[in-house]
Every structure is written in structure tokens, then in C-alpha cells.
Amino acid sequence: ANAVSDVNYDVEEILIDANLDKEGNLNVKEIIVLDGSFNGYIRDLVYKNYNLNSFDGTKESFYQSDIYNGSNIELIKVGKINYNKSDDFDNFNNNITTFYQGYGYSGDSGVYELSYLSTGLSIKMFNETYKSTTAFYIEYVIDDVAVLHNDVSELYYNFIGEEFDDDISGVKIRVKLPEKTSGEVRVWAHGPLNGEIDIYKEDGYNYGAIASINNLSRNTAVDIRMVYPKDYLSTNKTSNVNALDYILEVETERANEANSKRAYYKTITIAVTAISIFYIIGLIILTIKAYKKHDKEYKSDFKNEYNREIIEEYDVPIVEYIMDKNITSNAFSAQVMNLIYKKKISVEKDEKKK
């Protein structure tokens, strides 16, 4: 096959369906939908951040700390999947064409290369596409993500990192608990201000969290934090801290900061809109004034009846005198020609009467 030489694509959507198990491991399935012309796509999966501070049980540790790092990542499957935009998470039930691991080249399809990073994996998927759509499928497991506190269980995971270099038209993330619960579940998301998150509910039970974001800018991280009942997690990854009050304090502070930013941007938007409206009104007023001053039709000061047949009533010399206050030989010549013309017309009328 010929490789696509003019790479031009949009990331139309990313769907992420993540399932927690009782041991705190997170099974993640992703669908990445690309539209356009491309040879393939690279997805980096990061499960660990070495730059985080060590967890010490204080409130500051609940902003971010190394206790939220996973311990390992395992790639399960790479391929492409049948995709229908209106089906949302039902797309994960569709048929998957599995790629094989090997070495890919421009123009190849159905193969992926796997590179190991100190913080995760990098997957280079080859599936040449020309002015069409391909939905890539990735499935992997992050070990030991959830944390068991003295009072609650917690998941705090970065699903899309700052290393993601493309704008995304739409992101939808669903995180499911090991089992449905009627117990208390709290959810938060961090990223752009236009994102939405809610508890994933069905039949009166809490199943986890569900989030959506429109028009996610490149290199913008998106994470989800979820607190759920303590007895839904059995793991050696424990904090030995009563965590819920700290988490609520941290998330309240973040919410207040986000609301302040929203209010600021709203004020800026209103101000820009008002300035634009005044500018347009001013432009209209200036246009009207300029028209009245420079471009309107000239109006004559002559108010009497306009008679284009004035020569029929007055002799040519009289008309010239009225117009120029002077009589020239041209006027007398014209008068003679006018009399000859009138005489001719009179003779023709008499002949017709006979």
C-alpha cells in the first residue's frame, strides 16, 4: 500500500471505560476515533509520576502525592473497533480487529509497536487511513491504583495526561465500582472548566462516576477522583489516615478556585460582548453621519415647476437672456431654425387635413 504523505486528521472522540476490582486494580478500555488521513497513531500510557511528593498523611498530600501512583501496567489488547458515535459506551460491545505486535512502516495496517517508558508504555498503532475514520482500541490494566483509608476507599487517577499532543473534540469517561452500591459515593474531576462529572447511577444504585468534556485542548490533563465505601476495597495499599474530611477540604478549595475562574472569564466575556456591541453601534452612527455629509443626493434650490418644453412657449433669445443675461448670434440662429421647423410642421398638418 502507498503511505499517506499528506497527514491531516482530527481526534473526534475518546471513550474510556474503566472498571475497578476489589484489589484496587483498574482495567481500562479506550476507543480513540480519528478522522482524516494518517498512517496511524501513538498513545502514551502513563501510570506513575516520579515528581510527586511522598504521602505523609497531611491535607497537602491529598492534593497529589505518590500514594496515587499505580505499581505496574499491563497491555491486554490493541486493535481497531467498529464505532458508531450515537452508541457511546455501547461501542465497547462491538467487534474488535486485533493488531499484532511487530515493526510497522508507513502504509501498514493491523500492527503496533510497543515501547517501554520509565513511567508507562508508548503504543504506536499502524492503520493507514485516507480521508476516512478509524477507531483504535486499547485495553490495559493498572495495578494497585486505589487507596484504602481508615474511613473510605479512594480512586484518584489521571486518565488523559499533559503529554497528549492533540486537541480532542469530545471526551467521555466512565469509571465503574467492583459492585453497585447504595452507600455513599462522591466524585470529582479536574481539567478544563467546561467539563462535567456526575455519579453513574442506575436503578437507584451507585455504580461509579461518569464525566464528559467538549473540545479538550492539547496537553490538558484530565483526572477523576472517586470516594466509595471502605468495604469495596481489599488491598495492602493503605494510608492509615481518616481521609474523607481532608479530601472534602481539598476539593472545596479547588471548587472555589474554579468558580472564581469561571466568574472571571464570564466577566471578561460580558465585557468583550458589550464592547463589541458599542463598537458596532458606533460604526453604524458614523456611517449614517458620513452618508448624510458626503454621500446623500444633492438637492437643488430651484423650487418652481420644471418645464423641459420651455422653448415652445418662449423665443430662443428670450430663454438665453433668462439663463445668461446675454443674447448672442447663436440664439438668433437657433430662433430662425425653430421658426422654420414650426412652419414645416404647420404645413404638414394642413396637408394632412386636405
Side-chain angles (χ1 to χ4, degrees), residues 20 50 64-65 76 79 119 175 179 265:
L20 272 169
Y50 288 107
Q64 267 289 12
S65 60
I76 304 299
T119 57
V175 184
E179 299 176 15
Y265 290 131

Side-chain angles (χ1 to χ4, degrees), residues 1-4 9 32 34 36-42 78-81 97-100 104-113 124-137:
N2 295 322
V4 174
Y9 66 87
I32 306 173
L34 268 63
S37 298
F38 47 90
N39 286 293
Y41 200 67
I42 298 174
V78 177
K80 65 178 181 179
I81 189 169
T97 301
T98 304
F99 290 0
Y100 68 90
Y105 302 91
S106 296
D108 283 351
S109 293
V111 61
Y112 72 94
E113 294 180 5
K124 184 185 291 186
M125 301 170 286
F126 292 85
N127 200 84
E128 186 186 32
T129 304
Y130 182 70
K131 292 184 178 181
S132 185
T133 299
T134 291
F136 292 101
Y137 176 87

Side-chain angles (χ1 to χ4, degrees), residues 46-105:
V46 176
Y47 72 96
K48 181 178 292 189
N49 185 349
Y50 288 107
N51 296 320
L52 297 177
N53 294 326
S54 297
F55 181 82
D56 61 7
T58 63
K59 186 180 83 172
E60 284 66 30
S61 291
F62 290 92
Y63 280 97
Q64 267 289 12
S65 60
D66 61 359
I67 199 171
Y68 298 111
N69 283 333
S71 64
N72 187 45
I73 184 170
E74 179 186 1
L75 185 63
I76 304 299
K77 185 180 292 186
V78 177
K80 65 178 181 179
I81 189 169
N82 294 337
Y83 169 80
N84 187 326
K85 186 175 180 61
S86 62
D87 289 346
D88 283 344
F89 293 101
D90 288 340
N91 280 288
F92 287 100
N93 299 321
N94 294 344
N95 182 60
I96 300 169
T97 301
T98 304
F99 290 0
Y100 68 90
Q101 184 179 351
Y103 293 99
Y105 302 91

